Amino acid sequence: MKIKYENSRLKSNLVYGSFMIIIGIFAVSINSDSIFNYAWIIVGLLQAGSYFYDKKHQYLTIDNNTLTKHFPIPKKININEIKKVRKFKNSYKVETNKGRITIFKDLVEKDSLRNLDHFFNGLNLKV
């Protein structure tokens, strides 16, 4: 099961990245001697790359008895090792003996948030 990012977040990464690339190309065409003008292009490419990475992997993946939070360095925990799920207004904190993952609700699409809440309720954890 994939827990998806909010579409507005994905689109804003692509729009900001594209905008920075356009500004960088314009700045380089005016003055190619300044290294700072190339920085606009590099930052824009990183921002657009973030869009493509997030679009492909999404926020969380729950499969094969593993919960994975995708980031440049993904965090993984085994579902069997989950000891506690703390539900806050804006986040979930999933705790095991080995570590903790924080899931921010504001980043998650509404349908995926319902699926995630249903998943956590179905774990039947002893509190």
Side-chain angles (χ1 to χ4, degrees):
M1 167 174 42
K2 285 204 178 214
I3 305 301
K4 297 180 180 182
Y5 277 109
E6 187 71 41
N7 278 336
S8 61
R9 180 186 191 280
L10 293 173
K11 288 179 185 177
S12 67
N13 277 348
L14 184 61
V15 168
Y16 292 145
S18 301
F19 183 67
M20 285 188 228
I21 292 169
I22 291 168
I23 287 176
I25 291 171
F26 181 71
V28 167
S29 68
I30 291 174
N31 181 9
S32 63
D33 294 335
S34 175
I35 196 164
F36 294 109
N37 293 338
Y38 293 99
W40 282 97
I41 296 173
I42 293 169
V43 171
L45 289 172
L46 289 172
Q47 189 78 26
S50 173
Y51 163 79
F52 290 111
Y53 180 85
D54 290 347
K55 183 77 173 168
K56 180 181 178 185
H57 296 288
Q58 295 297 332
Y59 190 45
L60 292 171
T61 304
I62 301 169
D63 62 350
N64 298 332
N65 207 25
T66 305
L67 186 141
T68 306
K69 182 177 179 182
H70 297 285
F71 207 63
I73 300 173
K75 289 185 176 181
K76 294 183 179 186
I77 59 173
N78 289 329
I79 293 172
N80 295 337
E81 296 176 359
I82 295 175
K83 299 294 180 192
K84 188 186 295 186
V85 177
R86 293 180 170 183
K87 297 180 181 182
F88 296 101
K89 182 179 180 183
N90 295 326
S91 65
Y92 294 109
K93 294 206 189 271
V94 182
E95 298 178 5
T96 67
N97 289 337
K98 297 178 183 176
R100 179 183 341 148
I101 291 180
T102 303
I103 301 167
F104 296 101
K105 293 180 182 180
D106 297 343
L107 299 177
V108 178
E109 183 184 54
K110 291 186 189 311
D111 290 337
S112 293
L113 189 59
R114 274 189 247 117
N115 291 340
L116 184 63
D117 196 42
H118 186 267
F119 170 76
F120 285 144
N121 289 335
L123 286 178
N124 296 325
L125 299 175
K126 298 175 185 174
V127 180

